[in-house]
Amino acid sequence: MSKITAFFTELMRKYLPDPFVFAILLTLLTMVLAFAVESRPVNLVVEDWGKGFWSLLAFTTQMAVILVMGYVLAAAPLVNRFLDRIASHVHTPRQAIIVATIVATIVGCVGSYLNWGFGLVIGGIMARKLALKVKGVHYPLIIASAYTGFTMYSLGFSATIPVLISTKGHTFESSMGLIPLTQTIFSAPMLLTSLAVLIALPLLNAAMHPKAGEKIVELDPAVAAEEGKSAAGHDLLGDQKTLAYRLNNSRVLNLLIGLCGMAYVVLHFVKGGNLDLNMINFFILFLGVLLLKTPMLYVEKVNEGVKTIGGIILQFPFYAGIMAIMHGSGLVESIAHIFVSIASEHTLPLWGLVSSFVINFFAPSGGGHWVLQGPFMIDAAKTLGASQAQTAMSVMLGNGWNDLVQPFWILPALALSKLKLKDIMGYTVVSMMLVGVIYATTMLIWPHL
């Protein structure tokens, strides 16, 4: 295991660029493929890219809010005390790796029922706590281990595709109907898959920890302490006797506005309102207000959270442009067709998984990914007589599988840890291989059940 890990770690160190550079190279590659494979004229390719660049601006804002609010929830005192209690029972490096992975998978997955941003961030916060507490923990590995738990979001309520196709009026309802969650994320094969990942992933990550005598990079407590001081530098400055100070640190104000927010959520659903991204963001924003207790504490944590999403705000428009090229040129259909053309009724979910993995490099967003690949996969399932539920889940799992090595979603973990992509990607590649075996096995067996 150490040789495999060392190989991929060194490979990433030498050849893997910064995530922003990766996005630029991916943009250029997509342009070349659109021209060379689909014979799309260069001027139209550039127009597709330019027109699509800002097409997901509203969605980008929603994603940014989800991540920042997820950070606020994960950093709330109540959650922090819970994580500290867990960390107090961990004493060895391998235990720390296992716990960081389990927290990211279990707590993160449960948290993702509320907010996948919460699930993405909480693992990183837990990993830093353990890296500071337990001597001898290899810091890049524990951060990578915490991130790998993010793959579980594709098996929970934050799984965009199964939730979408179970909602009345979804885009493809006329062609595939409504697919209840009991046939997708709550089906027996998916629940067993979740259990398999939950057991195997922590054990694999622990096995990758450097042995005695091998190089270990630890988190310097002095550096972490200095970061904490700078993050709280403004603290709650002001004269405690002033009205301004009392308003800024008033628990009553947070309680009143927080309860107003919760009241609106209740009224919204009583009147038959739908659960969409805006409502989720509204709910978690005011839940954070209640948990943080005072306006200035809330602002402090929001400011910290904003620092973790700079790369996402910068790069999301580039991926929107890439998706526009993929759609305009027909590249998505061509990629999917390569795999679907050799599929049968029983193997379509497997090839759907593999094609989704490839496409997710270009479209790392569950919703946007489904809009591109969904129509082709739905038609293929109809033609071959395959299950629409299994086909849709194959696309969702391919999305979550690829996210283990897609630089875009690792950005918050990098911001929290102050590490570079090349420091942790070697470990996530090995985890990706294991998760791929589990997902592929599920997709091969499920159609025969």
mmCIF file of all heavy atoms in Angstrom, residues 85-116:
data_model
loop_
_atom_site.group_PDB
_atom_site.id
_atom_site.type_symbol
_atom_site.label_atom_id
_atom_site.label_comp_id
_atom_site.label_asym_id
_atom_site.label_seq_id
_atom_site.Cartn_x
_atom_site.Cartn_y
_atom_site.Cartn_z
ATOM 1 N N ARG A 85 -15.484 16.688 21.514
ATOM 2 C CA ARG A 85 -15.749 15.498 22.337
ATOM 3 C C ARG A 85 -15.299 14.243 21.600
ATOM 4 O O ARG A 85 -14.723 13.319 22.216
ATOM 5 C CB ARG A 85 -17.232 15.421 22.675
ATOM 6 C CG ARG A 85 -17.592 14.258 23.590
ATOM 7 C CD ARG A 85 -19.033 14.337 24.076
ATOM 8 N NE ARG A 85 -19.249 15.522 24.899
ATOM 9 C CZ ARG A 85 -20.406 15.813 25.470
ATOM 10 N NH1 ARG A 85 -21.466 15.023 25.282
ATOM 11 N NH2 ARG A 85 -20.533 16.902 26.199
ATOM 12 N N ILE A 86 -15.564 14.184 20.303
ATOM 13 C CA ILE A 86 -15.097 13.037 19.503
ATOM 14 C C ILE A 86 -13.577 12.984 19.510
ATOM 15 O O ILE A 86 -12.971 11.933 19.741
ATOM 16 C CB ILE A 86 -15.621 13.139 18.057
ATOM 17 C CG1 ILE A 86 -17.151 13.001 18.019
ATOM 18 C CG2 ILE A 86 -14.981 12.056 17.181
ATOM 19 C CD1 ILE A 86 -17.740 13.217 16.646
ATOM 20 N N ALA A 87 -12.928 14.129 19.274
ATOM 21 C CA ALA A 87 -11.466 14.175 19.194
ATOM 22 C C ALA A 87 -10.803 13.761 20.502
ATOM 23 O O ALA A 87 -9.701 13.204 20.505
ATOM 24 C CB ALA A 87 -11.018 15.588 18.792
ATOM 25 N N SER A 88 -11.468 14.008 21.626
ATOM 26 C CA SER A 88 -10.871 13.697 22.929
ATOM 27 C C SER A 88 -10.675 12.202 23.142
ATOM 28 O O SER A 88 -9.901 11.791 24.007
ATOM 29 C CB SER A 88 -11.751 14.267 24.050
ATOM 30 O OG SER A 88 -13.003 13.591 24.106
ATOM 31 N N HIS A 89 -11.353 11.372 22.337
ATOM 32 C CA HIS A 89 -11.249 9.917 22.500
ATOM 33 C C HIS A 89 -10.275 9.293 21.491
ATOM 34 O O HIS A 89 -10.158 8.063 21.442
ATOM 35 C CB HIS A 89 -12.630 9.268 22.328
ATOM 36 C CG HIS A 89 -13.631 9.680 23.364
ATOM 37 N ND1 HIS A 89 -13.581 9.254 24.682
ATOM 38 C CD2 HIS A 89 -14.703 10.516 23.302
ATOM 39 C CE1 HIS A 89 -14.575 9.776 25.362
ATOM 40 N NE2 HIS A 89 -15.275 10.551 24.556
ATOM 41 N N VAL A 90 -9.600 10.107 20.701
ATOM 42 C CA VAL A 90 -8.687 9.604 19.672
ATOM 43 C C VAL A 90 -7.248 9.822 20.125
ATOM 44 O O VAL A 90 -6.878 10.920 20.542
ATOM 45 C CB VAL A 90 -8.931 10.324 18.325
ATOM 46 C CG1 VAL A 90 -7.985 9.794 17.259
ATOM 47 C CG2 VAL A 90 -10.388 10.141 17.884
ATOM 48 N N HIS A 91 -6.399 8.763 19.986
ATOM 49 C CA HIS A 91 -5.058 8.860 20.554
ATOM 50 C C HIS A 91 -3.935 8.439 19.608
ATOM 51 O O HIS A 91 -2.768 8.703 19.899
ATOM 52 C CB HIS A 91 -4.981 8.012 21.830
ATOM 53 C CG HIS A 91 -6.045 8.349 22.835
ATOM 54 N ND1 HIS A 91 -6.052 9.528 23.551
ATOM 55 C CD2 HIS A 91 -7.152 7.664 23.221
ATOM 56 C CE1 HIS A 91 -7.108 9.560 24.354
ATOM 57 N NE2 HIS A 91 -7.796 8.439 24.167
ATOM 58 N N THR A 92 -4.229 7.770 18.504
ATOM 59 C CA THR A 92 -3.175 7.334 17.592
ATOM 60 C C THR A 92 -3.447 7.880 16.189
ATOM 61 O O THR A 92 -4.596 8.175 15.836
ATOM 62 C CB THR A 92 -3.095 5.799 17.525
ATOM 63 O OG1 THR A 92 -4.275 5.284 16.868
ATOM 64 C CG2 THR A 92 -2.983 5.199 18.929
ATOM 65 N N PRO A 93 -2.378 7.989 15.367
ATOM 66 C CA PRO A 93 -2.555 8.528 14.007
ATOM 67 C C PRO A 93 -3.573 7.765 13.164
ATOM 68 O O PRO A 93 -4.406 8.370 12.494
ATOM 69 C CB PRO A 93 -1.148 8.426 13.410
ATOM 70 C CG PRO A 93 -0.241 8.526 14.589
ATOM 71 C CD PRO A 93 -0.946 7.808 15.694
ATOM 72 N N ARG A 94 -3.515 6.436 13.196
ATOM 73 C CA ARG A 94 -4.451 5.672 12.367
ATOM 74 C C ARG A 94 -5.881 5.802 12.880
ATOM 75 O O ARG A 94 -6.837 5.817 12.097
ATOM 76 C CB ARG A 94 -4.008 4.215 12.286
ATOM 77 C CG ARG A 94 -2.881 4.006 11.277
ATOM 78 C CD ARG A 94 -2.576 2.539 11.036
ATOM 79 N NE ARG A 94 -1.696 2.385 9.877
ATOM 80 C CZ ARG A 94 -0.381 2.588 9.892
ATOM 81 N NH1 ARG A 94 0.195 2.934 11.026
ATOM 82 N NH2 ARG A 94 0.340 2.458 8.796
ATOM 83 N N GLN A 95 -6.042 5.872 14.182
ATOM 84 C CA GLN A 95 -7.373 6.143 14.728
ATOM 85 C C GLN A 95 -7.879 7.490 14.225
ATOM 86 O O GLN A 95 -9.062 7.633 13.878
ATOM 87 C CB GLN A 95 -7.327 6.159 16.256
ATOM 88 C CG GLN A 95 -7.244 4.806 16.926
ATOM 89 C CD GLN A 95 -7.188 4.921 18.442
ATOM 90 O OE1 GLN A 95 -7.206 6.017 18.996
ATOM 91 N NE2 GLN A 95 -7.105 3.786 19.123
ATOM 92 N N ALA A 96 -6.986 8.477 14.179
ATOM 93 C CA ALA A 96 -7.363 9.816 13.732
ATOM 94 C C ALA A 96 -7.829 9.794 12.282
ATOM 95 O O ALA A 96 -8.816 10.444 11.922
ATOM 96 C CB ALA A 96 -6.184 10.775 13.899
ATOM 97 N N ILE A 97 -7.123 9.036 11.444
ATOM 98 C CA ILE A 97 -7.493 8.938 10.022
ATOM 99 C C ILE A 97 -8.872 8.289 9.886
ATOM 100 O O ILE A 97 -9.733 8.761 9.131
ATOM 101 C CB ILE A 97 -6.449 8.113 9.239
ATOM 102 C CG1 ILE A 97 -5.072 8.782 9.284
ATOM 103 C CG2 ILE A 97 -6.910 7.938 7.785
ATOM 104 C CD1 ILE A 97 -5.010 10.143 8.659
ATOM 105 N N ILE A 98 -9.087 7.215 10.635
ATOM 106 C CA ILE A 98 -10.371 6.519 10.573
ATOM 107 C C ILE A 98 -11.502 7.421 11.048
ATOM 108 O O ILE A 98 -12.561 7.520 10.406
ATOM 109 C CB ILE A 98 -10.318 5.221 11.415
ATOM 110 C CG1 ILE A 98 -9.411 4.195 10.736
ATOM 111 C CG2 ILE A 98 -11.719 4.640 11.606
ATOM 112 C CD1 ILE A 98 -9.156 2.949 11.572
ATOM 113 N N VAL A 99 -11.291 8.100 12.166
ATOM 114 C CA VAL A 99 -12.332 8.969 12.721
ATOM 115 C C VAL A 99 -12.638 10.127 11.778
ATOM 116 O O VAL A 99 -13.808 10.480 11.567
ATOM 117 C CB VAL A 99 -11.923 9.485 14.113
ATOM 118 C CG1 VAL A 99 -12.869 10.586 14.575
ATOM 119 C CG2 VAL A 99 -11.916 8.344 15.116
ATOM 120 N N ALA A 100 -11.594 10.738 11.207
ATOM 121 C CA ALA A 100 -11.806 11.852 10.275
ATOM 122 C C ALA A 100 -12.647 11.405 9.083
ATOM 123 O O ALA A 100 -13.550 12.121 8.630
ATOM 124 C CB ALA A 100 -10.470 12.409 9.799
ATOM 125 N N THR A 101 -12.367 10.191 8.584
ATOM 126 C CA THR A 101 -13.128 9.669 7.442
ATOM 127 C C THR A 101 -14.567 9.370 7.838
ATOM 128 O O THR A 101 -15.509 9.697 7.111
ATOM 129 C CB THR A 101 -12.474 8.388 6.897
ATOM 130 O OG1 THR A 101 -11.083 8.616 6.671
ATOM 131 C CG2 THR A 101 -13.122 7.977 5.586
ATOM 132 N N ILE A 102 -14.745 8.744 9.008
ATOM 133 C CA ILE A 102 -16.091 8.385 9.452
ATOM 134 C C ILE A 102 -16.930 9.627 9.727
ATOM 135 O O ILE A 102 -18.114 9.685 9.379
ATOM 136 C CB ILE A 102 -16.021 7.488 10.702
ATOM 137 C CG1 ILE A 102 -15.487 6.108 10.317
ATOM 138 C CG2 ILE A 102 -17.396 7.351 11.355
ATOM 139 C CD1 ILE A 102 -15.279 5.169 11.491
ATOM 140 N N VAL A 103 -16.322 10.629 10.350
ATOM 141 C CA VAL A 103 -17.046 11.880 10.598
ATOM 142 C C VAL A 103 -17.486 12.492 9.275
ATOM 143 O O VAL A 103 -18.618 12.956 9.124
ATOM 144 C CB VAL A 103 -16.182 12.874 11.400
ATOM 145 C CG1 VAL A 103 -16.808 14.270 11.372
ATOM 146 C CG2 VAL A 103 -16.042 12.407 12.837
ATOM 147 N N ALA A 104 -16.584 12.481 8.295
ATOM 148 C CA ALA A 104 -16.915 13.052 6.994
ATOM 149 C C ALA A 104 -17.995 12.253 6.281
ATOM 150 O O ALA A 104 -18.815 12.818 5.552
ATOM 151 C CB ALA A 104 -15.665 13.129 6.116
ATOM 152 N N THR A 105 -18.021 10.927 6.505
ATOM 153 C CA THR A 105 -19.018 10.098 5.825
ATOM 154 C C THR A 105 -20.348 10.070 6.576
ATOM 155 O O THR A 105 -21.402 10.386 6.014
ATOM 156 C CB THR A 105 -18.505 8.655 5.653
ATOM 157 O OG1 THR A 105 -18.034 8.151 6.915
ATOM 158 C CG2 THR A 105 -17.382 8.592 4.656
ATOM 159 N N ILE A 106 -20.297 9.727 7.867
ATOM 160 C CA ILE A 106 -21.549 9.622 8.631
ATOM 161 C C ILE A 106 -22.116 11.003 8.965
ATOM 162 O O ILE A 106 -23.219 11.350 8.548
ATOM 163 C CB ILE A 106 -21.343 8.834 9.933
ATOM 164 C CG1 ILE A 106 -21.027 7.377 9.622
ATOM 165 C CG2 ILE A 106 -22.613 8.902 10.795
ATOM 166 C CD1 ILE A 106 -20.909 6.504 10.844
ATOM 167 N N VAL A 107 -21.345 11.792 9.739
ATOM 168 C CA VAL A 107 -21.836 13.115 10.121
ATOM 169 C C VAL A 107 -22.029 13.976 8.880
ATOM 170 O O VAL A 107 -23.007 14.707 8.749
ATOM 171 C CB VAL A 107 -20.860 13.807 11.102
ATOM 172 C CG1 VAL A 107 -21.388 15.168 11.505
ATOM 173 C CG2 VAL A 107 -20.646 12.942 12.336
ATOM 174 N N GLY A 108 -21.090 13.869 7.947
ATOM 175 C CA GLY A 108 -21.209 14.650 6.714
ATOM 176 C C GLY A 108 -22.413 14.242 5.898
ATOM 177 O O GLY A 108 -23.133 15.077 5.366
ATOM 178 N N CYS A 109 -22.653 12.921 5.815
ATOM 179 C CA CYS A 109 -23.798 12.447 5.034
ATOM 180 C C CYS A 109 -25.105 12.848 5.699
ATOM 181 O O CYS A 109 -26.029 13.312 5.048
ATOM 182 C CB CYS A 109 -23.727 10.927 4.878
ATOM 183 S SG CYS A 109 -24.983 10.253 3.787
ATOM 184 N N VAL A 110 -25.167 12.686 7.034
ATOM 185 C CA VAL A 110 -26.374 13.111 7.755
ATOM 186 C C VAL A 110 -26.543 14.619 7.603
ATOM 187 O O VAL A 110 -27.642 15.124 7.365
ATOM 188 C CB VAL A 110 -26.282 12.724 9.247
ATOM 189 C CG1 VAL A 110 -27.434 13.346 10.030
ATOM 190 C CG2 VAL A 110 -26.311 11.208 9.386
ATOM 191 N N GLY A 111 -25.423 15.346 7.725
ATOM 192 C CA GLY A 111 -25.488 16.793 7.548
ATOM 193 C C GLY A 111 -25.903 17.174 6.151
ATOM 194 O O GLY A 111 -26.568 18.192 5.942
ATOM 195 N N SER A 112 -25.541 16.337 5.186
ATOM 196 C CA SER A 112 -25.889 16.639 3.809
ATOM 197 C C SER A 112 -27.385 16.520 3.541
ATOM 198 O O SER A 112 -27.881 17.029 2.545
ATOM 199 C CB SER A 112 -25.113 15.715 2.850
ATOM 200 O OG SER A 112 -23.744 16.059 2.839
ATOM 201 N N TYR A 113 -28.110 15.837 4.433
ATOM 202 C CA TYR A 113 -29.561 15.825 4.303
ATOM 203 C C TYR A 113 -30.093 17.242 4.480
ATOM 204 O O TYR A 113 -31.146 17.597 3.971
ATOM 205 C CB TYR A 113 -30.183 14.900 5.351
ATOM 206 C CG TYR A 113 -30.100 13.450 4.990
ATOM 207 C CD1 TYR A 113 -28.925 12.735 5.211
ATOM 208 C CD2 TYR A 113 -31.172 12.800 4.403
ATOM 209 C CE1 TYR A 113 -28.839 11.397 4.873
ATOM 210 C CE2 TYR A 113 -31.094 11.460 4.061
ATOM 211 C CZ TYR A 113 -29.928 10.767 4.304
ATOM 212 O OH TYR A 113 -29.823 9.446 3.958
ATOM 213 N N LEU A 114 -29.308 18.057 5.213
ATOM 214 C CA LEU A 114 -29.661 19.458 5.399
ATOM 215 C C LEU A 114 -28.936 20.326 4.398
ATOM 216 O O LEU A 114 -29.522 21.208 3.783
ATOM 217 C CB LEU A 114 -29.303 19.888 6.835
ATOM 218 C CG LEU A 114 -29.442 21.370 7.177
ATOM 219 C CD1 LEU A 114 -30.916 21.760 7.123
ATOM 220 C CD2 LEU A 114 -28.873 21.640 8.565
ATOM 221 N N ASN A 115 -27.645 20.080 4.213
ATOM 222 C CA ASN A 115 -26.803 20.950 3.395
ATOM 223 C C ASN A 115 -25.530 20.203 3.049
ATOM 224 O O ASN A 115 -24.730 19.880 3.917
ATOM 225 C CB ASN A 115 -26.477 22.221 4.204
ATOM 226 C CG ASN A 115 -25.512 23.149 3.494
ATOM 227 O OD1 ASN A 115 -24.715 22.746 2.674
ATOM 228 N ND2 ASN A 115 -25.592 24.415 3.831
ATOM 229 N N TRP A 116 -25.303 19.912 1.737
ATOM 230 C CA TRP A 116 -24.088 19.193 1.377
ATOM 231 C C TRP A 116 -22.836 20.023 1.652
ATOM 232 O O TRP A 116 -21.735 19.476 1.829
ATOM 233 C CB TRP A 116 -24.130 18.746 -0.086
ATOM 234 C CG TRP A 116 -24.257 19.819 -1.108
ATOM 235 C CD1 TRP A 116 -25.393 20.213 -1.751
ATOM 236 C CD2 TRP A 116 -23.212 20.654 -1.629
ATOM 237 N NE1 TRP A 116 -25.127 21.239 -2.613
ATOM 238 C CE2 TRP A 116 -23.792 21.521 -2.572
ATOM 239 C CE3 TRP A 116 -21.843 20.742 -1.396
ATOM 240 C CZ2 TRP A 116 -23.054 22.474 -3.276
ATOM 241 C CZ3 TRP A 116 -21.104 21.693 -2.099
ATOM 242 C CH2 TRP A 116 -21.713 22.536 -3.021
#
